[in-house]
Amino acid sequence: MKKVITFLFLVSFGFIQAQQAFTGKGDVRVNVGANLQDGGSGIQGSVDFGLGENFSFGFVANYLLGVDNFNGFYHNNPTPYNDYKPEFKDRFDAKARINANLSSVIGVEQLDVYPGLSLGLRNFGGHVGGRYFFTDGFGVFTEIGFPIAKYSDNNDVFDHLNNQVTFSLGASFKLN
């Protein structure tokens, strides 16, 4: 019972002490967390710079740490792959992005919901995310990214790793 009471106290304290998630022009937010997707998992880091009350631009990078090796035939290739490992270029992706920060629109200052578009090394895509700040400098984030258009029809064995829906979650920090 003490654990339940302690947990409820911490959660309620976090909501009571919550701070503004996005302040607009000059705002700098950094997200660091886990990236989860089909065929691998890794880390994601992003930074967003506020340009206006409801608009920001930034950069995001993903690196897959755990990727399944490939065994078998791929796309009617008569030569089988045997324990084929992904290279660095298969594991890494970087994107520039723009966001519409909606905390002032939805009326909840502590929660920044941000849909946006991204232009990366492998595709043009979109994302929808949210940040909640417990204190002035620390919060949590979650984000779903998805491809809209791939740059090539090259169906390499690991091409799908950076051209699929991804889910990320982790910590968010205010830098200014």
Side-chain angles (χ1 to χ4, degrees):
M1 185 67 174
K2 288 181 183 180
K3 291 180 183 179
V4 172
I5 292 171
T6 303
F7 175 73
L8 291 175
F9 172 76
L10 291 174
V11 169
S12 64
F13 181 77
F15 284 113
I16 292 169
Q17 296 298 318
Q19 300 295 315
Q20 191 169 2
F22 185 77
T23 56
K25 187 175 183 177
D27 197 17
V28 179
R29 300 288 192 231
V30 173
N31 298 330
V32 178
N35 178 38
L36 308 171
Q37 63 188 55
D38 184 33
S41 61
I43 56 174
Q44 173 180 309
S46 64
V47 61
D48 293 314
F49 304 95
L51 294 177
E53 181 182 354
N54 299 95
F55 184 72
S56 65
F57 80 97
F59 305 97
V60 62
N62 296 320
Y63 184 76
L64 296 174
L65 298 170
V67 179
D68 301 332
N69 291 350
F70 184 77
N71 291 300
F73 295 94
Y74 190 77
H75 279 287
N76 300 324
N77 187 345
T79 308
Y81 291 94
N82 187 17
D83 205 29
Y84 189 59
K85 297 179 183 180
E87 298 174 17
F88 176 82
K89 67 180 180 82
D90 299 318
R91 295 173 180 255
F92 178 77
D93 194 20
K95 300 175 182 179
R97 67 190 202 165
I98 56 171
N99 301 318
N101 301 85
L102 304 178
S103 61
S104 64
V105 175
I106 61 175
V108 181
E109 290 183 351
Q110 302 84 2
L111 178 64
D112 179 24
V113 176
Y114 56 93
L117 297 172
S118 57
L119 184 63
L121 298 174
R122 306 215 192 279
N123 62 43
F124 170 73
H127 59 273
V128 177
R131 285 184 276 249
Y132 186 87
F133 275 80
F134 297 104
T135 67
D136 190 37
F138 176 74
V140 293
F141 86 98
T142 186
E143 190 171 303
I144 295 175
F146 50 91
I148 296 173
K150 294 192 311 184
Y151 291 152
S152 75
D153 291 330
N154 181 10
N155 288 323
D156 195 12
V157 173
F158 296 110
D159 191 46
H160 71 284
L161 291 177
N162 291 299
N163 281 302
Q164 64 175 295
V165 174
T166 63
F167 175 73
S168 302
L169 62 117
S172 188
F173 304 95
K174 177 181 177 182
L175 292 186
N176 58 338

